[in-house]
């Protein structure tokens, strides 16, 4: 019975890590949507209005980010846009990793070390997802040439 519990725990951690890496690129749109939805709810829009405003804000944030990555030419601007999406993802990766390792390691130093490694891994994954999701330019080539 303990063996099944261990296997279930490993499967749950693997699934959560897969979700974290898959959804990391959506951390900024999610934050923008939650912030806009809470603002709308607090200003009297009600639950439905807050949800609709939040969903629209999240969609616009993600769509505008993709459009900017597709059409902005200078490399420094493309990097700044990508970093705007990567920074919240890395922060989410830090906290997710820290939430896992604080239950498995007694040393705070090692907790922070592994949390930083998790943040870097999630940040790099989000950066790679952002760059691969950019729309190809005319003729099928990438617009990432700068």
């Amino acid at each position: 019975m303990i063996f099944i519990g261990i296997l279930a725990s490993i499967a749950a951690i693997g699934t959560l890590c897969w979700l974290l890496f898959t959804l990391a690129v959506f951390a900024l749109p999610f934050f923008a949507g939650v912030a806009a939805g809470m603002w709308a709810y607090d200003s009297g829009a009600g639950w439905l209005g807050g949800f609709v405003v939040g969903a629209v804000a999240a969609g616009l944030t993600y769509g505008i980010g993709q459009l900017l990555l597709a059409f902005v030419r200078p490399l420094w601007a493309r990097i700044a846009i990508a970093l705007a999406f990567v920074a919240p993802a890395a922060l989410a990766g830090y906290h997710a990793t820290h939430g896992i390792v604080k239950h498995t390691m007694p040393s705070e130093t090692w907790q922070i070390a592994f949390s930083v490694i998790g943040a870097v891994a999630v940040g790099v994954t989000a950066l790679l997802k952002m760059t691969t999701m950019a729309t190809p330019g005319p003729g099928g080539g990438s617009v990432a040439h700068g």
Side-chain angles (χ1 to χ4, degrees), residues 65 67-83 131 134 142-146:
L67 285 174
L68 288 174
L69 277 177
F71 294 113
V72 169
R73 298 307 252 169
L75 183 60
W76 65 268
R78 292 174 60 83
I79 291 171
I81 294 164
L83 286 178
T131 57
S142 175
V143 282
H145 303 118

Side-chain angles (χ1 to χ4, degrees), residues 11-118:
I13 290 171
T15 302
L16 290 175
C17 289
W18 173 78
L19 277 173
L20 180 64
F21 283 117
T22 303
L23 301 175
V25 75
F26 301 111
L28 178 66
F30 180 76
F31 172 73
V34 168
M38 288 178 62
W39 169 81
Y41 178 76
D42 288 341
S43 66
W47 286 101
L48 182 62
F51 179 78
V52 169
V53 168
V56 168
L60 283 175
T61 303
Y62 181 72
I64 289 171
Q66 289 300 308
L67 285 174
L68 288 174
L69 277 177
F71 294 113
V72 169
R73 298 307 252 169
L75 183 60
W76 65 268
R78 292 174 60 83
I79 291 171
I81 294 164
L83 286 178
F85 281 81
V86 169
L91 187 65
Y94 175 87
H95 287 290
T97 307
H98 190 73
I100 293 170
V101 299
K102 75 178 179 181
H103 297 293
T104 60
M105 294 180 189
S107 170
E108 258 187 62
T109 304
W110 283 109
Q111 289 176 7
I112 292 173
F114 278 100
S115 298
V116 168
I117 291 169

